Amino acid sequence: MTDTSRRTALDALHRELGATMTDFAGWDMPLRYGSERDEHVAVRTRAGLFDLSHMGEITVTGPQAAALLDFALVGNIGSVAVGRARYTMICREDGGILDDLIVYRLADAEYMVVANASNAQTVLDALTERAAGFDAAVRDDRDAYALLAVQGPASPAILKSLTDADLDGLKYYAGLPGTVAGVPALIARTGYTGEDGFELFVAPDDAVKLWQALTEAGAGAGLVPCGLSCRDTLRLEAGMPLYGHELTTATTPFDAGLGRVVKFEKEGDFVGRAALQAAAERAEAQPPRKLVGLIAEGRRVPRAGFSVVAGGEVVGEVTSGAPSPTLGKPIAIAYVDAAHAAPGTQGVGVDIRGSHEAYEVVALPFYKRQR
């Protein structure tokens, strides 16, 4: 940790629990509490509790809030119903991705944009700049919220024991205001693990009380505190992109295989429309490198930046890699030339410090929960 690192409202609690702390996007965050493999398995089979208070909340309000977001982002935000959420992106004029986001429509003229911690200021600045000429206000609410997540198959039962909110009626990518363990919260059925689960936006002063209540309620169900390390392996298995790895300003949504988030059919112009239209046409005419999964035949773990090779040639690059506790083998996500991207393609390897290790090309995700 550096002296300038920000601390969440749960910082003292993490230290009491013996967490290994790390600097992440300027925040001092728990990396793991014990075994990251055990934390990963708990989320897949029971439940895990995360502190995600480093995420960046930005509130957009006003008569033209929807119009502003439709202009500033690539998605059709005006079509999101009150109480629902949407995964989207904010791009530069040249189509490069500034960040991937979740936008919650809290009321008719009120939205909450949730940005990645490393990009929160960039997104805030871009939205503020793009708000010029719109009857809408952009507000930095990063200090107004703590964010806790309970994820895993046991999470609905754990949360139900603490709230009378209608969790059964709460769809995936929806949110509703409620009270959890006496704490006012926005209860969202979203997450970044590939499992069912909830993200709870609360006032920072209520964070410790809520964490303790969830810990007690989940004790019998095997809930454990979880750090950023297992969050990364969980999202990797679920094939979910991470900004700075699969998504960068050098990639468009079409490069990342996420062109579906760009809604050309919405009315009016939006930032990056022309460049993204050109990127879509290029992708159709000549497929760019594709984002694929790689499963190791051996035990060596690939890391971001390692070359993907075939026939002695470099045909791609690893963007994320780690041992997979669920599969029991090292896995990676990589951008690979279209000619080598089909699932089952033979002869593909990863250059790990000069040794070409054999890998199987598979479609993403590596893991999909049984619904």
Side-chain angles (χ1 to χ4, degrees), residues 306-322:
F306 286 12
S307 294
V308 180
V309 293
E313 300 289 321
V314 174
V315 298
E317 184 176 313
V318 171
T319 53
S320 298

Side-chain angles (χ1 to χ4, degrees), residues 293-309:
L294 300 174
I295 299 179
E297 293 181 15
R299 310 301 307 170
R300 297 186 73 186
V301 179
R303 298 297 180 191
F306 286 12
S307 294
V308 180
V309 293

Side-chain angles (χ1 to χ4, degrees), residues 47-109:
L49 180 58
F50 297 82
D51 177 10
L52 305 180
S53 302
H54 60 310
M55 300 295 280
E57 296 86 7
I58 301 161
T59 304
V60 180
T61 56
Q64 290 189 296
L68 163 58
L69 291 171
D70 276 339
F71 169 72
L73 312 180
V74 301
N76 190 347
I77 308 305
S79 68
V80 178
V82 173
R84 298 306 302 268
R86 185 156 295 168
Y87 176 79
T88 187
M89 295 182 185
I90 182 168
C91 290
R92 301 192 307 192
E93 198 67 67
D94 67 0
I97 301 167
L98 285 173
D99 201 13
D100 61 336
L101 312 163
I102 296 179
V103 180
Y104 298 87
R105 190 169 195 167
L106 304 181
D108 188 50

